[in-house]
Amino acid sequence: MSTTTETPKPAAPAAPAAAPRVRRPRPQVMSVTPAAAERVKALIEGRGKPTAGIRIGVRSKGCSGMSYTLEFADKQEPMDEVVDTQGIKLLIDPKASLFLIGTEMDYEEEKLKSGFVFKNPNEKGRCGCGESFHV
């Protein structure tokens, strides 16, 4: 009976470690004009209590189907998309993110009206009064 011992084979040369993939910065969901940023700052300062930011969402409403919503946010929710720009923090409701990609938030003041205006490239149409939109 013969016993044979196998000599270990030399290990294959290790492949060079791949460099970690550098992720490019994720673009913000929305942009904000300086006029809108100033108005948001004024609203938060005038509120009189601690505020995490302004929550922006979309809800079913109006003739075209959807409407923008804005409200004070007392705290940031775990799934909120955060837009931190020009000294303000916008908290985007996760259900609204897809509808708001690429949107610019502005603030306009005219003789007979003033308010936030959303310029959304995803909109396919608006109702006549301008209160609602559809994508």
Coordinates of all heavy atoms in Angstrom, one line a residue, residues 18-58:
A18 N -10.6 45.8 -6.6 CA -11.2 46.9 -7.4 C -11.4 48.1 -6.6 O -11.7 48.0 -5.4 CB -12.6 46.4 -7.9
A19 N -11.1 49.2 -7.2 CA -11.2 50.5 -6.4 C -12.7 50.7 -6.1 O -13.6 50.3 -6.9 CB -10.8 51.6 -7.3
P20 N -13.0 51.2 -4.9 CA -14.4 51.4 -4.6 C -15.0 52.4 -5.5 O -14.4 53.3 -6.0 CB -14.3 52.0 -3.1 CG -12.9 52.4 -2.9 CD -12.1 51.6 -3.9
R21 N -16.3 52.0 -5.9 CA -17.0 52.8 -6.9 C -17.4 54.2 -6.2 O -18.1 54.1 -5.1 CB -18.2 52.1 -7.3 CG -18.9 52.8 -8.4 CD -20.0 51.9 -9.0 NE -20.8 52.6 -10.0 CZ -21.9 52.2 -10.5 NH1 -22.3 51.0 -10.2 NH2 -22.5 52.8 -11.4
V22 N -17.1 55.2 -6.8 CA -17.4 56.5 -6.3 C -18.8 56.9 -6.8 O -19.0 56.9 -8.0 CB -16.4 57.6 -6.7 CG1 -16.8 59.0 -6.2 CG2 -15.0 57.2 -6.2
R23 N -19.7 57.2 -5.9 CA -21.0 57.6 -6.3 C -21.1 59.1 -6.5 O -20.5 59.8 -5.7 CB -22.0 57.2 -5.2 CG -22.2 55.7 -5.1 CD -23.3 55.4 -4.1 NE -23.6 54.0 -4.2 CZ -24.8 53.6 -4.5 NH1 -25.8 54.4 -4.6 NH2 -25.1 52.3 -4.6
R24 N -21.7 59.4 -7.5 CA -21.9 60.9 -7.7 C -23.0 61.4 -6.8 O -23.9 60.6 -6.4 CB -22.2 61.2 -9.2 CG -23.6 60.6 -9.6 CD -23.9 61.1 -11.0 NE -25.2 60.7 -11.3 CZ -25.7 60.5 -12.5 NH1 -25.0 60.7 -13.5 NH2 -27.0 60.2 -12.6
P25 N -22.9 62.6 -6.4 CA -23.9 63.2 -5.5 C -25.3 63.1 -6.2 O -25.5 63.3 -7.3 CB -23.5 64.6 -5.3 CG -22.3 64.8 -6.1 CD -21.9 63.6 -6.8
R26 N -26.3 62.7 -5.3 CA -27.6 62.6 -5.8 C -28.2 64.0 -6.0 O -28.1 64.8 -5.0 CB -28.4 61.8 -4.8 CG -29.8 61.4 -5.3 CD -30.4 60.4 -4.3 NE -31.8 60.5 -4.4 CZ -32.6 59.9 -3.5 NH1 -32.1 59.3 -2.5 NH2 -33.9 60.0 -3.7
P27 N -28.8 64.3 -7.1 CA -29.4 65.6 -7.2 C -30.6 65.8 -6.3 O -31.3 64.9 -6.0 CB -29.8 65.7 -8.7 CG -29.9 64.3 -9.2 CD -29.0 63.5 -8.3
Q28 N -30.8 67.1 -5.9 CA -32.0 67.4 -5.1 C -33.3 67.2 -5.8 O -33.3 67.4 -7.0 CB -31.9 68.8 -4.5 CG -30.7 69.0 -3.5 CD -30.7 70.4 -2.9 OE1 -31.3 71.3 -3.5 NE2 -30.1 70.5 -1.8
V29 N -34.3 66.8 -5.1 CA -35.6 66.6 -5.8 C -36.1 67.9 -6.3 O -36.7 68.0 -7.4 CB -36.6 66.0 -4.7 CG1 -38.0 66.0 -5.3 CG2 -36.2 64.7 -4.3
M30 N -35.9 69.0 -5.5 CA -36.5 70.3 -5.9 C -35.4 71.4 -5.8 O -34.5 71.2 -5.0 CB -37.6 70.7 -5.0 CG -38.8 69.9 -5.0 SD -40.1 70.4 -3.8 CE -40.4 72.1 -4.3
S31 N -35.6 72.5 -6.5 CA -34.8 73.6 -6.3 C -35.7 74.8 -5.8 O -36.9 74.7 -5.9 CB -34.1 74.1 -7.6 OG -35.1 74.4 -8.6
V32 N -35.1 75.7 -5.2 CA -35.8 76.8 -4.5 C -35.2 78.1 -5.0 O -34.0 78.3 -5.0 CB -35.7 76.7 -3.0 CG1 -36.5 77.8 -2.3 CG2 -36.2 75.4 -2.5
T33 N -36.0 79.1 -5.4 CA -35.5 80.4 -5.8 C -35.2 81.2 -4.5 O -35.8 80.9 -3.4 CB -36.6 81.2 -6.6 OG1 -37.7 81.4 -5.8 CG2 -37.0 80.4 -7.9
P34 N -34.4 82.2 -4.6 CA -34.1 83.1 -3.5 C -35.4 83.7 -2.9 O -35.5 83.8 -1.6 CB -33.2 84.1 -4.0 CG -32.5 83.5 -5.2 CD -33.5 82.6 -5.8
A35 N -36.3 84.1 -3.7 CA -37.6 84.7 -3.2 C -38.3 83.7 -2.3 O -38.8 84.0 -1.2 CB -38.4 85.2 -4.3
A36 N -38.4 82.4 -2.7 CA -39.1 81.4 -2.0 C -38.4 81.1 -0.7 O -39.0 80.9 0.4 CB -39.3 80.1 -2.8
A37 N -37.0 81.1 -0.7 CA -36.2 80.8 0.5 C -36.5 81.9 1.5 O -36.6 81.6 2.7 CB -34.8 80.7 0.1
E38 N -36.5 83.1 1.1 CA -36.7 84.3 2.0 C -38.1 84.2 2.6 O -38.2 84.4 3.8 CB -36.5 85.6 1.3 CG -35.0 85.9 1.0 CD -34.1 85.9 2.2 OE1 -34.5 86.4 3.3 OE2 -33.1 85.2 2.1
R39 N -39.1 83.8 1.8 CA -40.4 83.7 2.4 C -40.6 82.6 3.4 O -41.2 82.7 4.4 CB -41.4 83.6 1.2 CG -42.9 83.5 1.7 CD -43.3 84.8 2.3 NE -44.7 84.8 2.8 CZ -45.1 85.4 3.8 NH1 -44.4 86.2 4.5 NH2 -46.4 85.2 4.2
V40 N -39.9 81.4 3.1 CA -40.0 80.3 4.0 C -39.3 80.7 5.3 O -39.8 80.4 6.4 CB -39.3 79.1 3.4 CG1 -39.0 78.0 4.4 CG2 -40.2 78.5 2.2
K41 N -38.1 81.4 5.2 CA -37.5 81.8 6.5 C -38.4 82.7 7.3 O -38.5 82.6 8.5 CB -36.2 82.6 6.1 CG -35.0 81.8 5.7 CD -33.9 82.7 5.3 CE -32.8 81.9 4.5 NZ -31.7 82.7 4.0
A42 N -39.0 83.7 6.6 CA -39.9 84.6 7.3 C -41.1 83.8 8.0 O -41.5 84.1 9.1 CB -40.5 85.6 6.4
L43 N -41.6 82.8 7.3 CA -42.8 82.1 7.9 C -42.3 81.3 9.1 O -43.0 81.2 10.1 CB -43.3 81.1 6.8 CG -44.1 81.8 5.7 CD1 -44.4 80.7 4.6 CD2 -45.4 82.4 6.2
I44 N -41.1 80.7 9.0 CA -40.6 79.9 10.1 C -40.3 80.8 11.3 O -40.6 80.4 12.5 CB -39.4 79.0 9.7 CG1 -39.9 77.9 8.8 CG2 -38.7 78.5 10.9 CD1 -38.7 77.1 8.1
E45 N -39.7 81.9 11.1 CA -39.4 82.8 12.2 C -40.6 83.4 12.8 O -40.7 83.6 14.0 CB -38.5 84.0 11.6 CG -37.1 83.6 11.3 CD -36.3 84.7 10.5 OE1 -36.8 85.8 10.3 OE2 -35.2 84.4 10.1
G46 N -41.7 83.6 12.0 CA -42.9 84.1 12.6 C -43.8 83.1 13.3 O -44.8 83.4 13.9
R47 N -43.4 81.8 13.2 CA -44.2 80.8 13.8 C -44.2 80.8 15.3 O -45.2 80.5 16.0 CB -43.8 79.4 13.2 CG -44.7 78.3 13.7 CD -44.3 77.0 13.1 NE -45.3 76.0 13.5 CZ -45.1 74.7 13.7 NH1 -43.8 74.2 13.5 NH2 -46.0 73.9 14.1
G48 N -43.0 81.1 15.8 CA -42.9 81.2 17.3 C -42.7 79.9 18.0 O -42.8 79.9 19.3
K49 N -42.4 78.8 17.3 CA -42.0 77.6 18.0 C -41.0 76.8 17.2 O -40.9 77.1 16.0 CB -43.2 76.8 18.4 CG -43.9 76.1 17.2 CD -45.2 75.4 17.8 CE -45.2 73.9 17.3 NZ -46.4 73.2 17.7
P50 N -40.2 75.9 17.8 CA -39.2 75.2 17.0 C -39.8 74.4 15.8 O -40.9 73.8 15.9 CB -38.6 74.2 18.0 CG -39.0 74.8 19.4 CD -40.2 75.6 19.2
T51 N -39.2 74.6 14.7 CA -39.7 74.0 13.5 C -38.5 73.3 12.7 O -37.5 73.8 12.6 CB -40.3 75.1 12.5 OG1 -41.3 75.8 13.3 CG2 -40.8 74.5 11.3
A52 N -38.8 72.0 12.3 CA -37.8 71.3 11.6 C -37.6 71.7 10.1 O -36.6 71.6 9.5 CB -38.1 69.8 11.6
G53 N -38.7 72.3 9.6 CA -38.7 72.8 8.2 C -40.1 72.9 7.7 O -41.1 72.9 8.5
I54 N -40.2 73.0 6.4 CA -41.5 73.0 5.7 C -41.7 71.7 5.0 O -40.8 71.3 4.2 CB -41.6 74.2 4.7 CG1 -41.4 75.5 5.4 CG2 -42.9 74.1 3.9 CD1 -42.6 75.9 6.2
R55 N -42.8 71.0 5.3 CA -43.1 69.7 4.6 C -43.9 70.0 3.3 O -44.9 70.7 3.4 CB -43.9 68.8 5.5 CG -44.2 67.5 4.9 CD -44.8 66.5 5.8 NE -44.3 66.4 7.2 CZ -43.1 66.0 7.5 NH1 -42.3 65.5 6.6 NH2 -42.7 66.0 8.8
I56 N -43.5 69.5 2.2 CA -44.1 69.6 0.9 C -44.7 68.3 0.5 O -44.0 67.3 0.6 CB -43.2 70.2 -0.1 CG1 -42.7 71.6 0.3 CG2 -43.9 70.3 -1.5 CD1 -41.7 72.2 -0.6
G57 N -45.9 68.3 0.1 CA -46.5 67.0 -0.4 C -47.5 67.3 -1.5 O -47.6 68.4 -2.0
V58 N -48.1 66.2 -1.9 CA -49.1 66.3 -3.0 C -50.3 65.5 -2.5 O -50.1 64.4 -1.9 CB -48.5 65.6 -4.3 CG1 -49.5 65.5 -5.4 CG2 -47.3 66.4 -4.8

